[in-house]
Short mmCIF file of all heavy atoms in Angstrom, two decimals:
data_model
loop_
_atom_site.label_atom_id
_atom_site.label_comp_id
_atom_site.label_asym_id
_atom_site.label_seq_id
_atom_site.Cartn_x
_atom_site.Cartn_y
_atom_site.Cartn_z
N PRO A 1367 17.36 -3.53 7.36
CA PRO A 1367 17.55 -4.98 7.24
C PRO A 1367 17.83 -5.61 8.59
O PRO A 1367 18.56 -5.06 9.40
CB PRO A 1367 18.75 -5.11 6.30
CG PRO A 1367 19.50 -3.83 6.46
CD PRO A 1367 18.47 -2.77 6.75
N ARG A 1378 10.17 -0.09 23.08
CA ARG A 1378 10.20 0.28 24.50
C ARG A 1378 10.23 1.78 24.74
O ARG A 1378 9.98 2.23 25.87
CB ARG A 1378 11.41 -0.35 25.17
CG ARG A 1378 12.75 0.25 24.82
CD ARG A 1378 13.87 -0.35 25.66
NE ARG A 1378 15.12 0.38 25.53
CZ ARG A 1378 16.01 0.18 24.58
NH1 ARG A 1378 15.79 -0.75 23.66
NH2 ARG A 1378 17.13 0.89 24.54
N ASN A 1839 6.39 20.94 -18.65
CA ASN A 1839 6.94 19.80 -17.92
C ASN A 1839 6.32 18.51 -18.46
O ASN A 1839 5.10 18.34 -18.46
CB ASN A 1839 6.63 19.94 -16.42
CG ASN A 1839 7.49 19.03 -15.57
OD1 ASN A 1839 8.65 18.78 -15.91
ND2 ASN A 1839 6.93 18.52 -14.48
#
Side-chain angles (χ1 to χ4, degrees):
R1378 73 174 191 274
N1839 196 35

